[in-house]
Amino acid sequence: SRIQRFALDCMIVHLLPLKTQNARDGAILVVENRTGDILAYVSHSGEPLSSRFVDGVQAKRQAGSSLKPFLYALAFDRHILTPASLLHDAPLDLAVLGGVYQPHNYDSQFRGLVTARMALASSLNIPAVRTLSLVGIESFLKKLRELGMKGLNESGDFYGPSLALGSVDVSLWELVNAYRTLANHGSWGELHLTLEGSHPSTSKEIFSKEAVFLISDILSDREARSLTFGLENSLATRFWTAVKTGTSKDMRDNWCIGYSEKYTVGVWVGNFSGEPMWNVSGVTGAAPIWIEMMNSLHRNDVSPKKEPPTRIVRKEIDFPQGTEPSREEWFIRG
C-alpha cells in the first residue's frame, strides 16, 4: 500500500506542471522481477469526468522507441550484430506499399557510422530501421508475440519498416512484462495481481542470457546515452538500472520503462483522448516519474551491476578513424 500511495501521489505531482504542455493523464506499473507480483497499479486522469473509465495500464498506445531493446536483443542472439557493430546513420529511402519510407532521427540529425551500442542507448531511429532489415520483420514480430504483446495479427508487410520505431499499439502491462523479461535474464512469465496462494510457473526463455546481458549493459550505459540525452538527465540513477524511453508519433504518448535487480517500473504519460502533447518527450514527461519511483523503491535497497554470463568476453576494439575512440566491448564468445 505504501508503494501504491507513493506512485499515485508521484503521478499527480508530476502531471501538474505538464498541463501547460497539454499532458493530462498517466499510468504507472511497478512489478517485482522474481515473482511477477504487481506492487503498484496506477491510472490517473487530470480530467476525471471525461476519462474516469479509461485504464491507462491496459489501454493500447503506440510503442515508439520502447521496442528497440527487443530488436537489438534478437540481432545479438542471432549473431547478426554485436554492440561494437557499425551501423550507418544516414538518409535512407525504403520502398513500401504506399510509396517511399524515409525514417528520421528525433533531432533530425545524421551521425554517420555509429556502433550498435551508441545507436540503442541514444535511441537513433535510422540504425534501428537498418537492424530490422537485417533480422527480418517477421522474425521481430514473432519475438514480440512471444513477449506477450497481443493484437499483432497482421503480416510483416502490413507493419513495414516503421515497426522498428514502434509503430504498433501495446499496453503498459505488456511492455513492463517484456522489460521484466530482460531483468530476468531472458525468461518470460505471467504478472500477478494477487499475492495469495502459489501461482503456476509459466516461465519460458525468450532471449539468451548473453544477449540480455548485452542489452542491459547498453541500457545502463550513461556515456553511450549522452549522444542524445546528455550526461545529466532523469535516466541516471545512483544505483544500477537499465532504462529506455519512447515517444510516439506527434507526441501522443511517451514512455519510460526500466529495471533494477529487484523491480521493473513502467510509466506512460499522455492524454487518454489521444490528443498530442506539446513538446513533451519520454525524458521530460515520463522519466522524472520513473526515477522518483526507482529512488523510492531503493531507499534501503541496493541494485548491484549485473555480472556477465560465462559465454561473455571482453575485448579491446579499435574503431575506424572518425567514429568512436578505442575501448573495451562485450561480446558473445565466438
Side-chain angles (χ1 to χ4, degrees), residues 70-76 78 80-81 127-145 155-157 159-164:
F70 312 112
L71 173 61
Y72 284 91
L74 178 59
F76 293 162
R78 292 177 58 183
I80 293 171
L81 294 178
V129 173
R130 293 187 187 276
T131 299
L132 180 63
S133 69
L134 293 172
V135 302
I137 296 176
E138 293 293 348
S139 296
F140 187 40
L141 271 174
K142 181 182 177 184
K143 193 60 68 174
L144 294 178
R145 291 167 185 146
S155 68
D157 288 340
Y159 300 105
S162 64
L163 180 65

Side-chain angles (χ1 to χ4, degrees), residues 282-302:
V283 79
T284 59
I289 302 170
W290 177 86
I291 196 170
E292 193 164 336
M293 285 303 307
M294 274 295 186
N295 285 337
S296 175
L297 290 166
H298 292 86
R299 281 186 302 180
N300 303 310
D301 256 334
V302 294

Side-chain angles (χ1 to χ4, degrees), residues 255-305:
W255 312 81
C256 186
I257 307 168
Y259 50 94
S260 62
E261 182 190 35
K262 291 186 178 181
Y263 308 102
T264 298
V265 176
V267 180
W268 171 86
V269 168
N271 293 302
F272 291 148
S273 66
E275 292 175 66
M277 296 168 283
W278 305 331
N279 198 30
V280 180
S281 67
V283 79
T284 59
I289 302 170
W290 177 86
I291 196 170
E292 193 164 336
M293 285 303 307
M294 274 295 186
N295 285 337
S296 175
L297 290 166
H298 292 86
R299 281 186 302 180
N300 303 310
D301 256 334
V302 294
S303 179
K305 190 174 182 179

Side-chain angles (χ1 to χ4, degrees), residues 117 182-183 185 212-223 237-242 259-262 298 301-309 312 314 328-330:
R117 172 179 290 274
L182 300 178
H185 312 290
V212 167
F213 171 81
L214 296 177
I215 294 297
S216 296
D217 190 66
I218 291 170
L219 295 183
S220 64
D221 190 338
R222 186 178 170 192
E223 188 173 339
T237 53
R238 68 183 189 279
F239 43 89
W240 186 89
T241 52
Y259 50 94
S260 62
E261 182 190 35
K262 291 186 178 181
H298 292 86
D301 256 334
V302 294
S303 179
K305 190 174 182 179
K306 288 189 179 290
E307 292 298 317
I312 290 287
R314 199 164 175 83
E328 288 191 326
E329 182 57 273
W330 295 108

Side-chain angles (χ1 to χ4, degrees), residues 11 15 23-28 42-46 54-57 172 267-272 289:
M11 177 62 71
L15 280 178
R24 297 184 298 269
D25 308 323
I28 302 172
V42 168
S43 175
H44 175 74
S45 175
V54 177
D55 184 344
V57 174
L172 184 62
V267 180
W268 171 86
V269 168
N271 293 302
F272 291 148
I289 302 170

Side-chain angles (χ1 to χ4, degrees), residues 107 111 114 118-119 122 124 222-230:
D107 56 8
R111 294 171 175 85
V114 293
M118 192 75 73
S122 288
L124 301 180
R222 186 178 170 192
E223 188 173 339
R225 191 189 298 143
S226 66
L227 186 67
T228 296
F229 302 106

